[in-house]
Amino acid sequence: MKPLFFAISLLLSWQSIASDETTEQTGPQTSNEQKAEKKDVPSLEFIEEKPATEQKSASETEKATVEAAQVEEEAAKATSETTTSSDEQKATAAALKAVAEVDDSKVLGTQTPAPAEQPKTVAEKQQAVAEAEKAVNQAKEALTAKQQEKARQSRESMAVIEQLIAAYNARNIDAFIKMYDENVEFYTFPNELMFTGKEKLIARYGIMFKKLKCIKSSPIKRIVLGNIVIDHELSETCTQDPKVVDKRSEFVTSYKIENGKITKVLFFR
């Protein structure tokens, strides 16, 4: 009995030892498997960081959208400016075309003279020379006619003033008044009206002729141009003795003569 009991006890001991070794071998493997599982499972820290990454991507997407909108806006602005510039260029071109189409043929100085046809034969050359000489002679005659008319006016005007000075020096009021127009005007420079008409002229110069003992006016310098006579005069008067000049003065007087009569007198003082 004892040997059988001992054999059973020994067999059970071996099974127990074998079970422990199996457990020890299985334990590390289980631990390694758990580590492997833990390795495959993302950590809490990684899970927490993932939303931040998604937020960053959303921010970048929004920024890209804003930049795209700015680019579109700048492109639209550039297109508008290009269109405006194009419209201005078209308007300028249209204005230049309108100016070019204006008929300026009747504007003085804008006519383009046609080139003169050159004479080909001797007879044509002689005819061209004759026509040119004729045109020159006509121009000279026209100028001469104007000069002659101006000279005639100058002679008549100077004659009127000569008669006026003679009547003045003689203190002959009737001959003096005769040289003036009925509505003669007297001014002081530049345009101050003194009086008009022969009546006031008689009252003014009639008294002076009677009061003074002598009067003498002589031109220092005279300018005559057509119907205008300008005299730089030296006036001498005697108030007491006809032979003693006691007052001298200089005057510049402009006379306008029309139809042989003085119509306007301007005194420069």
Side-chain angles (χ1 to χ4, degrees), residues 120-193:
K120 298 178 181 180
T121 64
V122 176
E124 290 178 352
K125 289 182 180 180
Q126 292 177 350
Q127 183 179 359
V129 170
E131 291 178 355
E133 291 178 352
K134 182 179 179 181
V136 171
N137 291 332
Q138 289 177 349
K140 287 181 178 180
E141 289 175 359
L143 180 61
T144 302
K146 291 182 179 180
Q147 291 174 340
Q148 289 177 351
E149 177 63 21
K150 187 72 68 175
R152 183 190 64 79
Q153 287 182 350
S154 298
R155 288 193 302 269
E156 291 180 354
S157 300
M158 189 165 57
V160 170
I161 300 303
E162 289 288 350
Q163 295 179 44
L164 178 71
I165 297 299
Y168 180 82
N169 289 339
R171 291 181 294 162
N172 186 339
I173 188 64
D174 293 332
F176 183 77
I177 293 299
K178 185 179 179 181
M179 307 312 301
Y180 289 93
D181 184 76
E182 291 292 334
N183 299 313
V184 62
E185 298 177 343
F186 281 77
Y187 291 86
T188 57
F189 182 83
N191 57 359
E192 182 181 352
L193 180 64

